[in-house]
Amino acid sequence: MGRTSRKRRSTVANRAIAASAALVLGGGGLIAANFYASAHEENSTRRSQTQTTAAQVATIDCPDVGNALTDVPDGARVGVDGELANLDRQITEAYNRLATTRDAASRDPNFVQNAILGPLKDKRAAVIDRIELIISRVGGTPPDNLDSLAPCTGRAADQPQTNDGQAGDGQDQDGSGQNGDGQDQGGDGQDQGGDGQDQNGGQDQGNGGQAGNGPVADDFVDITTVQPNVQKPQRGQNASRGSFTSSCGTNENGKFNTDNVIVAPGVSNGAHHLHDYVGNQANDAFANNDTFANAETTCANQGDKSSYYWPVLRVQDGTNEFDANADGGGKEGNVGRVLRAEQAQITFVGNPQSKVVAMPKFLRIITGDAKAFTNGDANANASWSCTGFEDRQLTDKYPLCPDGSKVVRTFDFQSCWDGQNIDSANHRTHVAFADPATGACPANFTAIPQLTMRLVYDVQRPVIENGQVQNPFAVDGFPEQLHKPITDHDDFINVFDENLMNKMVDCINSGRRCR
């Protein structure tokens, strides 16, 4: 299902957004589709509209090479992961160039293609060639047409196309597709100041947000306007009905870093955004299984040394945080005051159709997609809601909660395992989601305890006025993802000892609630 219609504030706003959505950037240069120029308009007017459309390139959309690498030989993994990290770095650098040259782009309709996208394609092609060589050297076969993923495009700051389904499937779930206050995207077209400087109480008039890369007003919805949408499969006779809770705190230790040891091992700042960590205290880019096994844990039960980590939530109130001038922080558009969750509830539950088996030690699972705004919603999975309204979940909107209600982030991890691997080349294919209708695992997959996480934040409701959002909260992310809520995600590395894992499985399969 495509995006549902939204109320428009004015004809001018309609035209700006439609022109922005009509952008096509390809090998032939920038093509600005001007649907509003009649045959009688002056050439100067047409040139002006073309320049305006050029300035409305909000971000850079690059195909995700990592998702295409489903079969990488073990001997090539380290080298391939390093090159994938190089691709992420290249996109970040290209986005930063885009963000700091909006004035030049507004004056030259070919600027973005010639100065940013063209060079980026060449750099990506060189990295992809190296990835293919690394795989071939150890006897592997690179995917066909991998080089076709080198070109990137420019795009406007609209939401990704979505599909029909229930919460967690990545579709527009606000019930009406509207932002709850009848207002539009709040200036997510061209940068009004030309240089991205603050124009309106800390809100950039281009892509919104304290750093000029989101969020915008249309990223928020009043939770009271959303219809209940949570559906769960019926339990069968063989369902595993118990649960196991691990209490690991809310990062009182202040353990943060911008690494991601799952997707970018050995690469500092591999995530390009800041993570909260609870549980295992040794997690950084250079940790290995032995490191995890010998580390300390914040979990009350010391048999759980698992690592639970997620991107921090910030309120963009003008605060210069400790990382304001650091990679992954202010240098990459992740700005504002870091919020610590009031609650971080970690619970493992069973399967609606079968008993569960123990997770293998050091199993890695990523749920959600940090690049879902540009990748699309296929792997989007995190949900947003408010206390008292958790029968309605949002994937592509942040909730505006009423007085007395708090913001909730929810993560339901993949709960089916291939029975063999603790990780996979794209960090996804070794685990799978159960069927949302029946709860059954796919063929050749086995049910394991499902990790569910619920983070609760006490954050003041942002104010939306004149299409602008003041003091918004937003999840940290890659700068080109514009802090969209659909990019939220969560990571888990299983470091339960064998006795505690067996206890968990027994509790879940026997229908008991254990800690």
Side-chain angles (χ1 to χ4, degrees):
M1 180 176 68
R3 295 183 67 204
T4 51
S5 61
R6 287 181 167 83
K7 295 180 181 178
R8 301 303 188 195
R9 289 181 51 78
S10 66
T11 302
V12 174
N14 286 353
R15 293 181 177 181
I17 294 166
S20 179
L23 275 176
V24 180
L25 288 125
L30 177 64
I31 303 172
N34 182 359
F35 293 102
Y36 310 108
S38 72
H40 304 290
E41 286 179 311
E42 297 295 330
N43 288 338
S44 61
T45 301
R46 293 183 181 181
R47 284 196 300 272
S48 175
Q49 289 175 327
T50 297
Q51 290 169 350
T52 297
T53 303
Q56 291 172 341
V57 180
T59 194
I60 294 172
D61 186 345
C62 297
D64 193 334
V65 176
N67 277 345
L69 299 175
T70 58
D71 186 17
V72 176
D74 290 343
R77 291 276 181 92
V78 173
V80 168
D81 285 341
E83 295 298 346
L84 292 175
N86 281 336
L87 292 176
D88 285 339
R89 178 181 51 78
Q90 290 173 353
I91 298 170
T92 294
E93 291 172 350
Y95 174 80
N96 288 339
R97 178 158 174 73
L98 174 70
T100 55
T101 57
R102 296 198 187 280
D103 185 56
S106 70
R107 289 183 275 105
D108 178 2
N110 297 311
F111 178 85
V112 174
Q113 174 61 37
N114 293 339
I116 299 174
L117 296 179
L120 177 59
K121 175 185 175 181
D122 294 340
K123 292 177 181 177
R124 284 171 59 84
V127 172
I128 290 171
D129 284 346
R130 292 199 296 269
I131 289 174
E132 292 176 327
L133 182 60
I134 291 168
I135 294 174
S136 298
R137 279 178 172 170
V138 297
T141 303
D144 292 336
N145 301 319
L146 200 61
D147 54 350
S148 68
L149 304 181
C152 300
T153 58
R155 62 171 293 175
D158 55 354
Q159 293 285 359
Q161 292 294 315
T162 55
N163 303 312
D164 290 329
Q166 294 301 318
D169 293 336
Q171 77 284 0
D172 185 348
Q173 295 169 16
D174 61 0
S176 66
Q178 297 173 359
N179 64 5
D181 58 9
Q183 295 177 343
D184 210 326
Q185 295 189 15
D188 59 328
Q190 73 186 61
D191 185 293
Q192 301 290 327
D195 58 1
Q197 293 180 348
D198 183 90
Q199 294 280 319
N200 185 19
Q203 297 304 308
D204 185 279
Q205 295 280 4
N207 295 329
Q210 183 179 331
N213 68 332
V216 296
D218 195 50
D219 291 324
F220 293 83
V221 63
D222 185 337
I223 196 68
T224 65
T225 68
V226 180
Q227 295 300 311
N229 57 15
V230 174
Q231 297 181 2
K232 296 183 178 181
Q234 275 192 318
R235 289 173 171 171
Q237 290 185 346
N238 200 38
S240 41
R241 302 168 184 267
S243 66
F244 181 91
T245 298
S246 190
S247 299
C248 301
T250 58
N251 196 15
E252 291 87 348
N253 291 353
K255 179 172 175 54
F256 303 106
N257 64 48
T258 62
D259 302 340
N260 192 331
V261 72
I262 295 179
V263 299
V267 179
S268 295
N269 192 39
H272 296 269
H273 52 266
L274 194 68
H275 285 130
D276 267 315
Y277 290 85
V278 301
N280 200 289
Q281 294 295 284
N283 192 332
D284 61 24
F286 306 98
N288 56 35
N289 291 346
D290 288 339
T291 310
F292 290 128
N294 295 314
E296 295 183 354
T297 180
T298 65
C299 299
N301 191 321
Q302 294 293 293
D304 182 7
K305 293 187 176 183
S306 300
S307 184
Y308 308 88
Y309 60 107
W310 56 86
V312 300
L313 192 68
R314 302 184 195 240
V315 58
Q316 296 184 3
D317 59 1
T319 297
N320 283 325
E321 259 296 0
F322 67 89
D323 61 346
N325 299 310
D327 290 337
K331 282 187 177 181
E332 298 185 54
N334 292 308
V335 296
R337 177 165 50 91
V338 172
L339 301 173
R340 181 159 62 86
E342 280 193 347
Q343 302 175 48
Q345 297 173 335
I346 298 170
T347 305
F348 295 84
V349 298
N351 181 278
Q353 298 299 327
S354 70
K355 304 304 183 186
V356 299
V357 302
M359 293 180 180
K361 196 167 187 177
F362 305 121
L363 176 70
R364 280 118 163 110
I365 308 179
I366 300 171
T367 199
D369 184 0
K371 302 174 184 176
F373 179 59
T374 55
N375 280 350
D377 64 4
N379 291 313
N381 184 52
S383 296
W384 297 84
S385 190
C386 303
T387 55
F389 297 87
E390 292 177 67
D391 61 345
R392 54 206 78 183
Q393 297 286 327
L394 305 166
T395 294
D396 62 357
K397 299 287 182 184
Y398 293 117
L400 296 173
C401 302
D403 289 346
S405 179
K406 299 178 181 181
V407 172
V408 181
R409 297 164 71 183
T410 303
F411 308 94
D412 293 330
F413 281 69
Q414 296 90 315
S415 59
C416 303
W417 171 51
D418 69 4
Q420 299 180 25
N421 300 293
I422 61 170
D423 200 1
S424 49
N426 62 2
H427 312 293
R428 294 192 183 276
T429 53
H430 63 299
V431 288
F433 287 101
D435 185 285
T438 67
C441 283
N444 301 318
F445 280 76
T446 302
I448 56 174
Q450 181 180 32
L451 170 59
T452 65
M453 293 192 64
R454 179 176 176 269
L455 308 178
V456 181
Y457 296 84
D458 187 4
V459 54
Q460 186 173 355
R461 175 175 170 139
V463 175
I464 296 178
E465 293 179 346
N466 300 320
Q468 296 291 311
V469 56
Q470 304 295 326
N471 296 330
F473 60 84
V475 66
D476 260 26
F478 290 92
E480 77 279 0
Q481 300 299 313
L482 305 184
H483 295 292
K484 297 296 183 183
I486 201 169
T487 65
D488 200 10
H489 57 284
D490 202 351
D491 301 78
F492 167 68
I493 301 174
N494 170 39
V495 199
F496 275 83
D497 68 31
E498 183 177 358
N499 290 336
L500 190 57
M501 176 58 65
N502 289 338
K503 176 184 176 181
M504 177 199 297
V505 169
D506 183 61
C507 287
I508 291 173
N509 286 341
S510 63
R512 293 179 290 132
R513 298 181 183 274
C514 304
R515 292 181 177 271

